[in-house]
Amino acid sequence: MGNDYWFSKEQLQVMSQPTIERVLSLIDTRQFIEAIELAETIKLEWGFLRKLMVNSTIELLNFIETKLDITHFYALEDMVNKVWKPGFDSINDTIRKKVAIEITERWEKIGAVVENKEFVNVFSIKLLNEMTTPLKDTDLVEQIRNGDEKGIKKLCEEVNHEWGLLHDLLVESIAALLTFIGEYYGEEKVGEALKFMTEQVWKEPHNKINARERKEIVSALAATWRAHSTGGIGPEAGGFSIEEDAEKFTFKLEPCGSGQRLWKRGLYEHPKKFSKTKDEYLWSFNRKDFPYYCAHCTYMNEIMPIEWSGTPIYPLDPPKTKDHPCTWYYYKNPADTPDRFYERYSYDKEKMLSKHNK
C-alpha cells in the first residue's frame, strides 16, 4: 500500500462494523478487558450525535417562535401527535417491544407521560435530554465487568434497540417540525429554518472538526455513522462501507441510517406524515420531490462550511431514489474538493478558497 493511504482495508472494515458486534466478538474470545474498553466508547459515539439532534429539535422550535412570530406550542403539539405518541406502535420484534416498554416506564418515573396533554406544557430541552439519554450501555459495561456472560448477548441487542428507538424519535421530530413549517408557512421557510438550525448547532462542531488532524476525522465520522446506523438493527436498518483512494475517503451509506430510512420506511407516503419539496431549491440539491429532512445536508455539509471555511466539510451525492446509496466524501486535502460541489450553489471555488486563506 502506498504512502498516500492512511488506513488498511481491514481497518476501514472495522470502522464500519457496529460497535456492539465488535464487543460480542471480544467476549466470544474472552478478551473481557478489551470488551469493557470498547463498550465504554458507545456512550461517546451516541453522545455527539444525540446532542446534535436534541439541539436541532430545540432550534427549530426557536425558529418557529422567533422568526415566524407564533408560539411554538402548535408545532410542538403537532410533533408530539405525529411522532411521540405513536412512536412505539407497530413494533413486531419482541426484544424491541420490551425495550420500548422499559423506556416508557422510565419516562413515567420522571413525569413525562407522552399521552397526557400536560406533556406539551412541560416539554423542555432539559426534559428532552433526559428522555433521550440511553442507559443500557452503562448496564452492559457493568455486566461484562461482573462476568455475566449468559446475559451479555441479550443485553447487547437491547442496547442497540434502546438507542435505535430514541434515535428514530429524534430524527422524526426534526422531520415533523420541518413539515409543520412547510405546510403552514410555505416551503421557502423550510430553507430558512434549515439555515437557522445549522448556524445555531453546527458552527462550533464544524470549527472543532476542522481544527483536528484530518486522519482523526475519518475515524470520528465513522463513529457518527455507526451511531446513525443504530447497530444495523430496526426497520430498514442503516449500514455503510468506507473506501479509500489516494485523494479521499468514500462513505457509501446503504441506506443512510438517518433520513433515507424515513424514506424507505414509507413515512413520506400516504397517509402522509412528512413532506418533500414541491419545487427545486439550492437547499434541496435543486430537486423536486426531495425530503425536507434530507435537505439539511446541503447546509450542514456544503453551504455553511463553504461560507465558514472556504470548503465543504463532507460533500456528498444524495440518493437518486430511496433505494440508491447516499455517498459522502472526505478529502485528505480539502482544496482537492471538486468544483462541482461549489457550482451547485453558484460558488466560485477559487474565490472562496482565497477568501479564507488570506
Side-chain angles (χ1 to χ4, degrees), residues 328-344:
W328 287 32
Y329 308 98
Y330 189 67
Y331 286 84
K332 296 175 181 179
N333 180 348
D336 290 336
T337 305
D339 290 10
R340 68 188 183 91
F341 294 113
Y342 292 80
E343 291 168 353
R344 61 173 38 156

Side-chain angles (χ1 to χ4, degrees), residues 64-86:
I64 290 166
E65 187 88 33
T66 61
K67 304 298 182 181
L68 299 182
D69 250 358
I70 62 154
T71 175
H72 69 256
F73 177 88
Y74 301 108
L76 182 57
E77 188 175 49
D78 186 71
M79 181 191 82
V80 169
N81 288 333
K82 276 187 177 178
V83 176
W84 288 78
K85 286 185 178 179

